[in-house]
Amino acid sequence: PIGDTMKILKKYYLLMLIFGINITIAGPSKWSSIPVFNQSPLEIKLGTYNDNANSDLLTMILWNDGSMNRLNAVRVPHPYDGSNITSTALENTATLFSLGDICRMGDDIIVPYIKNFNVEVAVFTMNNWFTTTIPETNLNNFDSADCAVSQDGVFVSGHDFDESEIEGFTPPNSPKF
């Protein structure tokens, strides 16, 4: 059995050398650390602003300042060395939670979250951020939100705790559930 294991490992290393893949099994590799935000987060989501090579990174950060929850969109430009980072404050309220995934269609971005128990979205379009409540959720009875992207568009979901169901939403001019 040890001889068989050695043969497999030799083949593995040979393939790594042939295809130029550098993998170290003997210990952990060193990861780079980039300071992005100087507050302790409650939730973090990481994405990119577009599909281009060397796209800026987007870090959505839900955090608490000691009395209020806040939502910031932090832009980390290439070469990701911590320089020229910008932060945009999007929300500031006590009942802000359940940060959903970052969903991107082209250069437009939607990030759902819960504010005052309604499903909200932070939207980045034409190089500007704005926030809005999904109108069908303004009954103060949602406790989680998320989104997904398909070739048909962006879809947002939220859990309606009064009706014990997950509801789906699409932006105007998009396919309907």
Side-chain angles (χ1 to χ4, degrees):
I2 293 176
D4 291 340
T5 302
M6 292 304 291
K7 287 179 187 176
I8 292 171
L9 283 175
K10 285 180 184 178
K11 289 179 183 177
Y12 177 78
Y13 282 116
L14 181 59
L15 287 172
M16 296 302 114
L17 290 172
I18 290 170
F19 292 106
I21 300 171
N22 183 10
I23 296 178
T24 305
I25 294 179
S29 60
K30 183 173 166 108
W31 288 60
S32 297
S33 174
I34 304 164
V36 173
F37 198 70
N38 63 355
Q39 300 293 328
S40 296
L42 301 171
E43 296 182 51
I44 302 169
K45 299 293 178 176
L46 182 65
T48 60
Y49 274 88
N50 56 49
D51 285 330
N52 299 337
N54 303 324
S55 173
D56 290 354
L57 297 177
L58 167 60
T59 306
M60 296 297 290
I61 302 174
L62 180 63
W63 61 287
N64 184 281
D65 67 5
S67 61
M68 302 295 268
N69 285 352
R70 295 175 180 261
L71 179 63
N72 284 66
V74 178
R75 188 175 203 138
V76 181
H78 184 266
Y80 322 121
D81 61 1
S83 62
N84 300 315
I85 293 175
T86 58
S87 180
T88 303
L90 299 173
E91 291 282 6
N92 177 14
T93 186
T95 54
L96 184 63
F97 58 97
S98 188
L99 184 59
D101 287 330
I102 295 170
C103 291
R104 187 173 44 77
M105 288 286 296
D107 290 337
D108 295 335
I109 299 169
I110 292 179
V111 183
Y113 57 95
I114 302 296
K115 175 183 172 185
N116 299 327
F117 297 96
N118 301 317
V119 179
E120 303 272 328
V121 287
V123 178
F124 181 80
T125 188
M126 298 175 59
N127 285 323
N128 291 303
W129 283 101
F130 69 91
T131 61
T132 187
T133 303
I134 293 177
E136 296 81 4
T137 71
N138 62 359
L139 299 173
N140 303 330
N141 54 346
F142 286 83
D143 61 7
S144 65
D146 207 353
C147 67
V149 177
S150 79
Q151 64 187 17
D152 296 321
V154 175
F155 300 88
V156 176
S157 66
H159 176 250
D160 182 334
F161 60 81
D162 280 350
E163 296 182 19
S164 297
E165 66 183 14
I166 295 174
E167 298 179 14
F169 308 96
T170 57
N173 304 317
S174 291
K176 302 297 178 209
F177 274 105

